[in-house]
């Protein structure tokens, strides 16, 4: 394994930070336009607290009752530990491709390829999951369209197309959209939380006792069993508080990435954890009829309607739609950077095409088009049940990636050089990494143990198998790409 050489920070090399890319053995092809807030907004928009709670709160009420919201704290603490480890790598190797680059350079290119394939599968599925939820759970109710799977799929394809066009046009446009979406989401969570507290105090509808109620699951026999209500309730936090490493995927487009990217990774998880808990507490207190709200299908919207009126409910749906759109475009951009990063190392299908960056827009157009095409294929080919299982499978993939990243960190941490001014846990790095690894094992068990997860696990195995076939083809026809690493001589020492 190699050790990172002490290199100048991007503030020393100039605001563009091009030195980190050149030391990695590449040319600076992507445009550095992202400031500290824009980088934070990318990670926060991917997490998207309002979107995650809006999409999963009904499952918590159904499986564990209102008291299940407290498991959000467990997930938030665990994911923060993971983010702290990820930030250590992001500070040292600020290149597009995040964990793919870290594993390739600190272990070997073959292991790095595995990290890259995992991340690509997760993000490619994630784009479809977010945009399909946008269509069916936010946009269609907002404009009064009756639930219909075919209509939702058509809207999803249109949204994917719009996002692809914007992602191709300019990273700056994407960052502006995300900044607006994040600002709106932050305001939404805080304002709605305050409004709900005031409404409950004035009307008396709602109760603090909801916070300890098991609701409709009061007599469930498997409540504390493996795969039972308590375990299933934790999935809300696990499914929401992910993607914080998306900022690292855009490191080559960030200013001063050795500082801004790690701060964005950790800051986004902490902010999302705190705001999410605030939102969940106020939502739960504001429930005036637990069985009715649980059966409503969209409990967050129903609570808003009951306490604040139809106008506020529609305002919420507008904000949620924008938040969904911002999250979807971030996932698409992050996925395109993984494809670009692997392709310029000749480790992705059709790499000569996928590595191309348009000289005018300075964005990877073929990689973005590929993600759009995958989304269209999934929408057209997969039946409803299979699509749902594929989306569920996408929650398992990041847990595998995070766990693997932590194992990598524990294996190489003593070899990592310290960069002056860069993010560093110092003497706390080992206990944090060990706790983070234990947490990822717990998270994987929670996600894979329920009987309902069997099909999703099979899908994950299938995706990994497909990647394995391509890997074998590379070993036969392009072995050199898996045995050499760009920039190793100038960026690392033996």
């Amino acid at each position: 394994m190699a050790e990172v050489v002490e290199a100048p920070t991007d503030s020393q090399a100039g605001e563009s930070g091009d030195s980190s890319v050149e030391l990695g053995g590449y040319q600076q092809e992507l445009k550095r336009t992202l400031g500290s807030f824009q980088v934070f907004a990318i990670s926060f928009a991917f997490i998207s607290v309002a979107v995650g709670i809006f999409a999963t709160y009904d499952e918590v009420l159904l499986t564990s009752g209102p008291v299940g919201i407290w498991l959000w704290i467990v997930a938030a603490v665990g994911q923060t530990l993971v983010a702290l480890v990820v930030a250590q790598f992001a500070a040292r190797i600020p290149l597009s491709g995040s964990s793919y680059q870290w594993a390739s350079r600190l272990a070997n290119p073959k292991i790095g390829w595995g990290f890259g394939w995992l991340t690509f599968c997760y993000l490619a599925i994630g784009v479809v999951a977010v945009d399909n939820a946008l269509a069916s759970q936010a946009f269609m109710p907002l404009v009064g369209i009756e639930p219909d799977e075919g209509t939702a799929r058509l809207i999803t394809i249109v949204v994917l197309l719009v996002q692809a066009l914007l992602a191709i046009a300019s990273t700056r446009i994407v960052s502006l959209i995300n900044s607006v979406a994040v600002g709106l989401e932050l305001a939404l969570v805080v304002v709605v939380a305050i409004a709900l507290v005031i409404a409950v105090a004035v009307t008396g509808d709602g109760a603090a006792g909801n916070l300890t109620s098991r609701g409709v699951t009061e007599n469930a026999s498997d409540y504390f069993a493996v795969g039972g209500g308590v375990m299933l309730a934790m999935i809300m936090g696990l499914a929401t508080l992910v993607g914080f490493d998306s900022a690292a995927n855009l490191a080559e487009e960030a200013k001063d990435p050795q500082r801004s990217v790690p701060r964005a990774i950790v800051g986004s998880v902490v902010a999302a954890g705190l705001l999410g808990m605030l939102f969940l507490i106020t939502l739960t207190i504001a429930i005036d009829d637990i069985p009715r709200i649980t059966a409503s299908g969209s409990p967050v919207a129903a609570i808003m309607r009951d306490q604040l009126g139809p106008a506020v409910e529609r305002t919420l749906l507008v904000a949620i739609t924008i938040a969904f759109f911002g999250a979807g475009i971030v996932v698409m951009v992050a996925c395109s950077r993984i494809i670009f990063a692997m392709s310029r190392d000749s480790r992705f299908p059709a790499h000569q095409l996928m590595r191309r960056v348009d000289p005018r827009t300075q964005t990877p157009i073929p990689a973005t088009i590929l993600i759009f095409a995958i989304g269209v294929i999934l929408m057209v080919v997969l039946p409803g049940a299979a699509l749902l299982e594929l989306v569920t499978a996408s929650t398992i993939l990041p847990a595998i990636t995070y766990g693997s990243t932590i194992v990598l960190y524990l294996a190489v941490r003593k070899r990592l050089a310290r960069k002056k001014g860069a993010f560093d846990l110092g003497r706390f790095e080992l206990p944090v990494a060990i706790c983070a690894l234990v947490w990822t094992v717990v998270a994987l068990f929670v996600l894979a143990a329920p009987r309902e997860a069997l099909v999703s696990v099979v899908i994950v195995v299938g995706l990994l198998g497909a990647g394995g076939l391509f890997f074998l083809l590379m070993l036969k026809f392009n072995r050199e790409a898996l045995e050499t690493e760009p920039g190793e001589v100038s960026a690392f020492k033996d």
Side-chain angles (χ1 to χ4, degrees):
M1 293 188 185
E3 181 177 2
V4 182
V5 164
E6 185 74 40
T9 62
D10 284 340
S11 59
Q12 294 170 314
E15 187 179 57
S16 68
D18 293 351
S19 65
S20 59
V21 179
E22 293 168 359
L23 287 172
Y26 308 116
Q27 293 182 342
Q28 180 70 41
E29 297 181 85
L30 303 173
K31 190 174 182 179
R32 288 194 184 273
T33 59
L34 304 178
S36 295
F37 179 77
Q38 285 80 18
V39 176
F40 167 82
I42 285 167
S43 284
F44 191 86
F46 195 122
I47 295 172
S48 195
V49 173
V51 168
I53 292 175
F54 189 87
T56 59
Y57 189 58
D58 58 335
E59 288 299 318
V60 172
L61 296 181
L62 284 168
T63 58
S64 68
V67 71
I69 66 168
W70 297 109
L71 291 171
W72 176 274
I73 296 176
V74 179
V77 172
Q79 295 301 83
T80 299
L81 292 171
V82 175
L84 287 168
V85 177
V86 171
Q88 294 277 93
F89 277 141
R92 291 175 166 89
I93 307 177
L95 296 171
S96 294
S98 59
S99 59
Y100 158 71
Q101 290 283 4
W102 308 334
S104 295
R105 294 171 182 277
L106 297 174
N108 64 64
K110 296 182 181 67
I111 293 176
W113 183 90
F115 276 68
W117 184 258
L118 276 172
T119 306
F120 161 70
C121 290
Y122 162 55
L123 294 175
I125 296 170
V127 177
V128 180
V130 172
D131 288 349
N132 189 246
L134 183 160
S136 60
Q137 298 182 37
F139 183 77
M140 290 173 65
L142 175 64
V143 298
I145 299 176
E146 292 297 318
D148 178 75
E149 184 177 319
T151 303
R153 288 172 183 252
L154 180 60
I155 294 172
T156 300
I157 292 173
V158 173
V159 172
L160 283 166
L161 177 60
V162 173
Q163 290 171 336
L165 293 174
L166 291 172
I168 286 170
S170 169
T171 302
R172 182 180 290 276
I173 292 176
V174 172
S175 70
L176 288 173
I177 292 172
N178 282 317
S179 295
V180 171
V182 167
L184 183 61
E185 185 170 355
L186 289 170
L188 169 73
V189 171
V190 174
V191 171
V192 168
I194 294 172
L196 285 175
V197 170
I198 295 173
V200 170
V202 171
T203 64
D205 295 332
N210 292 342
L211 297 173
T212 56
S213 171
R214 284 175 54 175
V216 298
T217 69
E218 185 66 41
N219 299 313
S221 58
D222 63 345
Y223 191 77
F224 296 103
V226 173
V230 171
M231 183 177 289
L232 291 173
M234 195 181 294
I235 293 177
M236 176 170 66
L238 290 173
T240 303
L241 299 172
V242 295
F244 42 82
D245 53 321
S246 56
N249 264 330
L250 276 74
E252 292 177 31
E253 293 153 90
K255 301 173 184 177
D256 195 9
Q258 281 138 330
R259 292 186 180 88
S260 63
V261 172
R263 290 171 182 171
I265 289 171
V266 178
S268 61
V269 180
V270 173
L274 292 174
L275 286 171
M277 197 67 248
L278 171 67
F279 196 34
L280 285 169
I281 289 172
T282 53
L283 277 175
T284 304
I285 291 175
I287 299 175
D288 64 347
D289 185 338
I290 293 175
R292 179 177 63 82
I293 293 296
T294 301
S296 68
S298 183
V300 177
I303 294 168
M304 296 294 104
R305 183 170 58 251
D306 288 349
Q307 295 290 356
L308 304 174
V312 173
E313 179 194 8
R314 290 187 64 82
T315 302
L316 170 71
L317 288 173
V318 170
I320 289 292
T321 300
I322 295 172
F324 265 119
F325 187 86
I329 199 170
V330 163
V331 180
M332 177 176 284
V333 170
C335 189
S336 71
R337 275 29 174 200
I338 276 285
I339 295 171
F340 164 73
M342 295 180 71
S343 295
R344 67 180 174 184
D345 293 336
S346 302
R347 298 172 190 162
F348 195 84
H351 60 84
Q352 291 182 331
L353 174 64
M354 294 300 154
R355 66 170 296 166
R356 293 181 184 174
V357 174
D358 185 85
R360 184 176 61 85
T361 64
Q362 293 183 281
T363 56
I365 294 179
T368 306
I369 293 174
L370 173 64
I371 301 163
F372 168 71
I374 291 172
V376 172
I377 291 170
L378 292 177
M379 284 291 98
V380 172
V381 172
L382 288 182
L387 178 62
L388 180 61
E389 296 293 353
L390 188 66
V391 170
T392 305
S394 70
T395 63
I396 300 174
L397 290 168
I400 296 174
T401 303
Y402 291 147
S404 301
T405 301
I406 295 166
V407 171
L408 173 66
Y409 183 78
L410 288 169
V412 305
R413 69 181 187 86
K414 291 183 178 180
R415 300 173 180 267
L416 294 174
R418 310 294 175 180
K419 288 181 178 289
K420 185 178 180 181
F423 183 87
D424 193 340
L425 289 177
R427 63 181 179 176
F428 297 104
E429 64 176 359
L430 182 58
V432 167
I434 292 174
C435 291
L437 181 60
V438 171
W439 164 248
T440 56
V441 172
V442 171
L444 275 171
F445 178 74
V446 169
L447 292 167
R451 292 186 299 274
E452 297 84 353
L454 177 61
V455 176
S456 299
V457 171
V458 171
I459 290 172
V460 169
V461 172
L463 291 171
L464 298 181
L469 290 176
F470 177 71
F471 182 81
L472 292 175
L473 289 174
M474 288 191 65
L475 284 178
K476 183 174 178 62
F477 298 108
N478 193 18
R479 179 180 290 270
E480 184 180 357
L482 293 173
E483 295 179 344
T484 58
E485 191 64 43
E488 186 172 3
V489 174
S490 60
F492 301 93
K493 65 182 180 182
D494 295 330

